[in-house]
Amino acid sequence: MLSENLITANGITSRLKTDGINLSLFESVTSTNTLLKEMAVNGEGEGQVIIALSQTEGRGRYDRKFQSDKGGIYMSILLRPKADTIDTTLLTAAAAVAVSDAIEDASGKNTEIKWVNDILINGKKVCGILCEGGFMGRDSFVVVGIGINACESENGFYDEIKDIAGTVFDNYHPTLCEKLCAAVIDNLFYQYKHLENREFLNTYRQKSMALGQKIHILKQGQIINEGTALEIDDNCHLKVKLNNDETVTLSSGEVSIKL
Ligand code: BTN
């Protein structure tokens, strides 16, 4: 349950190890990604972070609605990579490792990653990540949007997701949530700065729950094929052996999977 004792911007920034972070905390916004993209277009610099305690128009991948009631942490982080040096698929996967490590540190619970960027505890999704790119003139930017179900909202999860969604904590702990937010930011900047050497890939593969499993391949929510997940390659594409023995390599921009 959500108490009135909420997280504060100072409680997060005082725990940060990364320099150059400018953090704004809001009680409610439409979507932290939408807001930060607007700020990026207007010239906001790398390191701007927006956190909201609820969103009225939270968005997920494939334009799906993302439940964003009080009880969760809704965060967007602005990166301004030098043009042509960033692969957003790799960044998305690195972000999944950053967030899953932060959740494990704050909660003491084991996490798994479902390709490409869902984070699960005991088989239930506790976090989704939506990376969105854009341009300001000739300069590109990336907004990394992270939605964490810290604890359940007063009304519970929507019917559509109640069987697949879970929470990081059983109750709302402001201090642990502040620790979690700071760790997410620190871990994300670490992975971003070390993206080129792909250090995150080992952890990503270890935590990938799909490997060796039978999966359904989905396009726009519809099952288009079935097979067994074989491996994650160095570009974070998923190799799958289809039931007809053909091997395909899936790119996260086109398809998703269901176990
Ligand atoms: C997914 O699971 O499909 C991705 C969900 C991403 C949700 C986060 S919450 C913070 C940021 N703002 C949004 O509107 N979406 C992302």
Side-chain angles (χ1 to χ4, degrees), residues 228-248:
T228 305
L230 295 179
E231 64 171 82
I232 287 156
D233 72 15
D234 288 350
N235 296 315
C236 272
H237 296 156
L238 183 67
K239 274 196 179 165
V240 178
K241 187 170 189 182
L242 300 178
N243 289 349
N244 67 4
D245 273 354
E246 192 190 332
T247 301
V248 291

Side-chain angles (χ1 to χ4, degrees), residues 9 13 21-26 32 39 48-52 74 76:
T13 50
I21 302 296
N22 187 22
L23 189 147
S24 308
L25 177 70
F26 296 94
T32 55
M39 291 167 75
Q48 177 67 44
V49 177
I50 295 184
I51 299 179
Y74 312 102
S76 296

Side-chain angles (χ1 to χ4, degrees), residues 56-238:
T56 53
E57 293 167 28
R59 296 179 288 108
R61 296 176 75 218
Y62 310 110
D63 257 338
R64 282 195 285 247
K65 190 174 164 59
F66 186 79
Q67 184 173 357
S68 304
D69 300 343
K70 275 193 177 166
I73 296 169
Y74 312 102
M75 180 189 301
S76 296
I77 301 171
L78 178 58
L79 305 177
R80 287 196 176 279
K82 291 189 179 61
D84 301 332
T85 59
I86 202 144
D87 175 328
T88 45
T89 305
L90 287 184
L91 180 66
T92 302
V97 169
V99 180
S100 91
D101 284 349
I103 290 176
E104 290 192 358
D105 278 353
S107 69
K109 295 178 182 167
N110 272 341
T111 58
E112 289 180 298
I113 297 174
K114 184 167 89 64
W115 184 86
V116 58
N117 54 7
D118 287 345
I119 297 169
L120 293 90
I121 292 178
N122 294 328
K124 304 274 183 180
K125 176 168 169 174
V126 298
C127 171
I129 299 172
L130 176 67
C131 289
E132 296 185 291
F135 283 91
M136 185 192 69
R138 290 173 57 207
D139 296 332
S140 65
F141 63 82
V142 181
V143 168
V144 183
I146 299 156
I148 303 174
N149 304 331
C151 71
E152 206 163 322
S153 74
E154 278 173 9
N155 302 322
F157 290 114
Y158 298 154
D159 282 350
E160 305 91 279
I161 58 167
K162 68 174 193 301
D163 294 333
I164 54 169
T167 61
V168 173
F169 304 113
D170 298 330
N171 295 295
Y172 191 73
H173 299 281
T175 313
L176 287 180
C177 286
E178 288 170 347
K179 195 178 156 193
L180 173 57
C181 290
V184 166
I185 298 166
D186 283 336
N187 290 357
L188 183 84
F189 273 90
Y190 177 87
Q191 296 297 352
Y192 168 54
K193 299 289 178 204
H194 296 84
L195 200 61
E196 262 175 52
N197 65 17
R198 298 178 194 209
E199 201 179 290
F200 72 91
L201 262 175
N202 275 344
T203 311
Y204 189 86
R205 288 177 176 132
Q206 277 161 20
K207 290 190 176 186
S208 284
M209 64 187 310
L211 294 183
Q213 303 289 317
K214 288 262 175 218
I215 58 159
H216 288 114
I217 302 171
L218 292 91
K219 196 165 193 167
Q220 287 161 349
Q222 303 296 316
I223 297 175
I224 55 163
N225 225 323
E226 289 175 33
T228 305
L230 295 179
E231 64 171 82
I232 287 156
D233 72 15
D234 288 350
N235 296 315
C236 272
H237 296 156
L238 183 67

